[in-house]
Amino acid sequence: LMDGDIVAGTLGHMPVDFLVGGQRIAARYTHDLLVDPEYRGGGLGKVIVGYARELGDFYPGGMWMTGACHKIHQTCGFDDVAELVTYTAVLDPASFTARRSFSPLKAAVGRAGLGVKRMQAIARARKLLADAHNTLGVMERMDPALDPIWLELAKTYDVTRVRDAAYLNWKYADHPRLDYKFIVATRNGTATGYLIWRAAPEGYAEQRAVIADFLVARDDVRTLEELVSRVLLDVSAAGI
């Protein structure tokens, strides 16, 4: 938004494609809403965000929100989506408890309990992979030849982001700082899913691994379990 030669405000737009009921739908994520402090208080943020809904025939969505930006999006007609659920498997109980300012007793109990959970998780992962239904391989980059398979797997969900090699390599393989690992599952020569994970950035105070993305058919629990098991064993072996 320009005021003569002065940039009064900006808003980024990230093009994405979603599958809704199996139909490919163009969408845009709004992000990084900025209004010059001298122009704040006059409703320019609402003007910019409102304009985002009028730019074309697509579904708009917002991310990377501050509290004020979130309120502006709500005022402009954006609806909240359900909160994402995250899951944690603690593979280094000592580091985990040390960084949470527990009392000595609570830390000791936590380390013991989490240590048992760790052993159970590792044992279950080894058992699953000993009788694996898939072959798991590591890729440095996603192969574009797999795009049709990922599209068919994505269609098993009511609503999901379209994933293809161009998107996955841009977001993960070509990341300038983070080292993402690609694991691809195949069965009888056909890809059945993938999982992408990374370790914490170098120098991060607490060692951790993050599963950033995965895709399997909606009802293919076994493939997802095997992919996660492979990550658990790789992470544990790496001392993360």
Side-chain angles (χ1 to χ4, degrees):
L1 182 65
M2 302 294 296
D3 181 13
D5 295 332
I6 301 174
V7 178
T10 63
L11 180 68
H13 295 260
M14 182 185 294
V16 295
D17 284 347
F18 276 85
L19 284 175
V20 180
Q23 181 181 359
R24 195 165 186 146
I25 301 293
R28 298 290 185 272
Y29 287 138
T30 65
H31 62 88
D32 294 325
L33 172 63
L34 298 172
V35 176
D36 187 295
E38 295 187 5
Y39 289 85
R40 293 176 187 173
L44 291 185
K46 296 177 184 177
V47 172
I48 297 172
V49 173
Y51 181 64
R53 303 187 62 180
E54 303 171 4
L55 289 177
D57 186 17
F58 53 77
Y59 287 86
M63 61 181 184
W64 303 336
M65 299 283 189
T66 63
C69 183
H70 181 218
K71 290 180 180 179
I72 290 172
H73 277 72
Q74 287 182 313
T75 300
C76 291
F78 285 75
D79 295 321
D80 285 330
V81 298
E83 291 186 9
L84 297 177
V85 178
T86 61
Y87 300 90
T88 300
V90 178
L91 300 182
D92 185 358
S95 171
F96 183 84
T97 55
R99 288 186 52 79
R100 277 151 183 81
S101 302
F102 292 154
S103 68
L105 177 60
K106 187 174 182 179
V109 172
R111 286 194 299 271
L114 291 172
V116 172
K117 287 288 187 181
R118 177 189 184 281
M119 288 189 292
Q120 291 174 335
I122 295 299
R124 185 172 186 274
R126 287 175 176 157
K127 183 178 179 180
L128 273 167
L129 294 183
D131 186 30
H133 296 183
N134 298 274
T135 299
L136 305 180
V138 177
M139 288 183 167
E140 292 186 2
R141 303 180 64 81
M142 190 59 74
D143 186 351
L146 297 174
D147 286 354
I149 295 177
W150 305 146
L151 183 62
E152 290 306 308
L153 293 182
K155 288 180 180 179
T156 64
Y157 298 86
D158 295 330
V159 180
T160 189
R161 168 79 166 83
V162 173
R163 280 91 142 202
D164 53 26
Y167 168 75
L168 295 173
N169 289 331
W170 164 77
K171 186 169 183 179
Y172 301 114
D174 296 331
H175 196 285
R177 291 189 61 236
L178 301 176
D179 183 19
Y180 286 95
K181 314 291 186 183
F182 290 65
I183 302 176
V184 175
T186 58
R187 187 183 306 142
N188 299 323
T190 300
T192 54
Y194 72 78
L195 184 149
I196 300 171
W197 72 278
R198 64 166 175 81
E202 186 176 353
Y204 196 76
E206 182 179 59
Q207 290 287 351
R208 66 174 61 179
V210 176
I211 295 175
D213 200 344
F214 69 86
L215 179 64
V216 299
R218 185 172 183 172
D219 58 351
D220 190 1
V221 176
R222 178 70 190 207
T223 296
L224 180 57
E225 287 180 330
E226 291 181 11
L227 287 165
V228 173
S229 294
R230 173 63 186 272
V231 172
L232 284 175
L233 295 184
D234 287 352
V235 168
S236 180
I240 298 176

